[in-house]
Amino acid sequence: MAAPIAESRSMPSLFDPIDLSPALQLPSRILMAPLTRGRATRDGVPTDLQRDYYAQRAGAGLIISEATGISREGLGWPFAPGLWSDAQVEGWKPVVAAVHEAGGRMVAQLWHMGRLVHDNVSGMRNISASATTAPHPAHTYDGKLALPEARAATLDDIERILGDYAAAARNAIAAGFDGVQIHGANGYLIDQFLRDGTNKRTDDYGGSVDNRLRFMTRVVEAMAAEVGIDRTGIRLSPVGESQGCDDRDNHGLFTAVAARLETLKVPWIELREPGPQSTFRATDEPPASPSMRAVYSGKLVLNSDYDATNAQATLDAGIADAISFGRTYIANPDLAERLRAGAELNAWNAKTFYTPGSEGYTDYPVLTEQAAA
Ligand SMILES: Cc1cc2nc3c(=O)[nH]c(=O)nc-3n(C[C@H](O)[C@H](O)[C@H](O)COP(=O)(O)O)c2cc1C
């Protein structure tokens, strides 16, 4: 057994409460990171299995849902959920209610995958900031398939997609979620507009950093107009290349992004910021969080490769306000309790990350079951 973490310290402990915003008051700084698991129906409707999975993890200070499509066009992951149809809203209601009943809080991560959508899943042509082709094959219902070149969004497309973001945010609140997180990370549509490797536009949405920030800015404004800025957060992955999406100056770009989010009064940002030793998309680029922290006064949540020890050390360093845990939450439904007790963690099984059914999904043991065994 590892030693329990001391709770008397001047910097906040992982177990101290935090207000991510006036609308999001969390009992601890241990968040569940967004995790695609592919257990919805083919129409993107959440299932009873998802209800059980999320309810098991309600001990997190906040659950960030798996990435959830804002539209058929934007959703290219097999059996991932959506939030554009009435059936999807109805499907999410019991999931979120079960989390609330178990004492938890949950926000919906809202997703448009842009050029990374294969028509095998969406039935539609992929779209992006510019006509570019993603370098890696996509997961589809027929295995991994090469992605075709995306078409460049017209100004009409942009207005339509902004409307989809707004509608999905409204639907998230109708389904009972406590807020929304914009998926601005990992090389998806917003990232494709932000970075100059994928944004070759010559209109108001491309070229200068200011122009490349425009799409993200308008997404924030469109969603906040529906649900309030207090219920709106964003996830970014500022360092390193992501699914072929990169910028000549990630640090300069994402410091400008943080400054813009400050102006917009976005209350919290989550950063997936792997280091060179990361087991999830490692990069040698130094972290951008210190320069982003310098221009952003909201709450900063850091992610990637955290355990109890390095998570508390990161809070102690004064850059992060909270930590989100991904794969450790897959394998440990009672992660917050385990961290508090200094207990051993279950290991995750990557083979069942995306497979159908309960195996590797709702069958990871909690401490009380292990003690009884
Ligand atoms: C199975 C799996 C699914 C993921 N799905 C998402 C997702 O839906 N949205 C997202 O922003 N990141 C997603 N990620 C990235 C994780 O949120 C997290 O950034 C990554 O696992 C590194 O954090 P960790 O070391 O705590 O696991 C996923 C990662 C894994 C392993």
Side-chain angles (χ1 to χ4, degrees), residues 137-152:
H139 289 262
T140 76
Y141 288 112
D142 296 309
K144 289 198 173 180
L145 294 177
L147 280 155
E149 183 182 78
R151 76 180 174 85

Side-chain angles (χ1 to χ4, degrees), residues 301-323:
V301 181
L302 288 190
N303 166 257
S304 210
D305 304 276
Y306 282 103
D307 58 25
T309 309
N310 62 5
Q312 185 60 55
T314 302
L315 293 194
D316 290 348
I319 291 175
D321 299 292
I323 301 293

Side-chain angles (χ1 to χ4, degrees), residues 57 130 192 230 236:
R57 287 157 180 77
S130 301
Q192 291 161 28
D230 286 352
L236 303 164

Side-chain angles (χ1 to χ4, degrees), residues 50 59 93 106 175 182 212 221 237 272 331 334 353:
Q50 282 167 278
K93 280 182 182 171
M106 186 168 183
I182 298 166
R212 284 184 277 125
E221 288 170 345
S237 50
R272 186 182 66 76
D334 55 348
F353 278 172

Side-chain angles (χ1 to χ4, degrees), residues 18-329:
I18 183 170
D19 292 356
L20 282 190
S21 80
L24 276 179
Q25 301 177 345
L26 317 187
S28 80
R29 294 160 188 250
I30 299 166
L31 278 64
M32 178 174 166
L35 292 156
T36 293
R37 304 302 309 278
R39 262 80 169 185
T41 70
R42 209 164 161 141
D43 293 329
V45 178
T47 56
D48 289 351
L49 203 54
Q50 282 167 278
R51 180 198 62 209
D52 296 346
Y53 164 80
Y54 282 115
Q56 286 175 345
R57 287 157 180 77
L62 179 69
I63 294 175
I64 305 168
S65 82
E66 64 204 281
T68 298
I70 62 163
S71 61
R72 184 65 279 173
E73 174 195 72
L75 184 58
W77 198 280
F79 299 109
L83 260 171
W84 68 83
S85 75
D86 290 344
Q88 292 162 351
V89 174
E90 291 309 309
W92 274 114
K93 280 182 182 171
V95 178
V96 185
V99 169
H100 286 157
E101 274 156 34
R105 295 137 299 278
M106 186 168 183
V107 296
Q109 189 190 50
L110 296 181
W111 200 24
H112 191 304
M113 294 170 63
R115 70 178 188 162
L116 297 170
V117 180
H118 198 288
D119 66 4
N120 174 278
V121 179
S122 68
M124 289 178 200
R125 175 87 189 270
N126 51 351
I127 191 166
S128 185
S130 301
T132 64
T133 307
H136 309 297
H139 289 262
T140 76
Y141 288 112
D142 296 309
K144 289 198 173 180
L145 294 177
L147 280 155
E149 183 182 78
R151 76 180 174 85
T154 63
L155 293 178
D156 283 347
D157 287 321
I158 289 176
E159 296 306 318
R160 176 177 54 74
I161 293 169
L162 291 169
D164 291 340
Y165 272 108
R170 203 164 52 234
N171 285 344
I173 300 305
F177 282 101
D178 300 296
V180 293
Q181 183 193 56
I182 298 166
H183 195 343
N186 301 355
Y188 295 111
L189 185 63
I190 291 173
D191 222 6
Q192 291 161 28
F193 269 90
L194 286 174
R195 303 209 214 194
D196 63 7
T198 42
N199 185 338
K200 308 289 183 192
R201 300 178 73 95
T202 52
D203 62 4
D204 287 352
Y205 290 88
S208 67
V209 167
D210 211 43
N211 278 354
R212 284 184 277 125
L213 293 185
R214 194 176 310 280
F215 182 68
M216 177 202 74
T217 302
R218 293 202 59 205
V219 172
V220 170
E221 288 170 345
M223 287 175 49
E226 292 294 334
V227 306
I229 199 73
D230 286 352
R231 294 191 188 278
T232 306
I234 187 164
R235 177 179 241 227
L236 303 164
S237 50
V239 294
E241 167 272 350
S242 247
Q243 310 204 63
C245 189
D246 209 354
D247 195 275
R248 277 173 296 181
D249 177 16
N250 284 320
H251 276 73
L253 171 64
F254 282 95
T255 305
V257 168
R260 176 63 54 85
L261 296 171
E262 172 79 9
T263 309
L264 291 166
K265 298 190 166 50
V266 172
W268 65 288
I269 307 176
E270 185 200 14
L271 300 183
R272 186 182 66 76
E273 200 172 49
Q277 311 299 333
S278 175
T279 54
F280 189 88
R281 301 184 188 163
T283 174
D284 287 334
E285 268 185 44
S289 47
S291 55
M292 294 175 76
R293 170 85 288 172
V295 298
Y296 177 72
S297 64
K299 301 296 191 293
L300 208 52
V301 181
L302 288 190
N303 166 257
S304 210
D305 304 276
Y306 282 103
D307 58 25
T309 309
N310 62 5
Q312 185 60 55
T314 302
L315 293 194
D316 290 348
I319 291 175
D321 299 292
I323 301 293
S324 65
F325 297 83
R327 291 161 294 176
T328 40
Y329 247 120

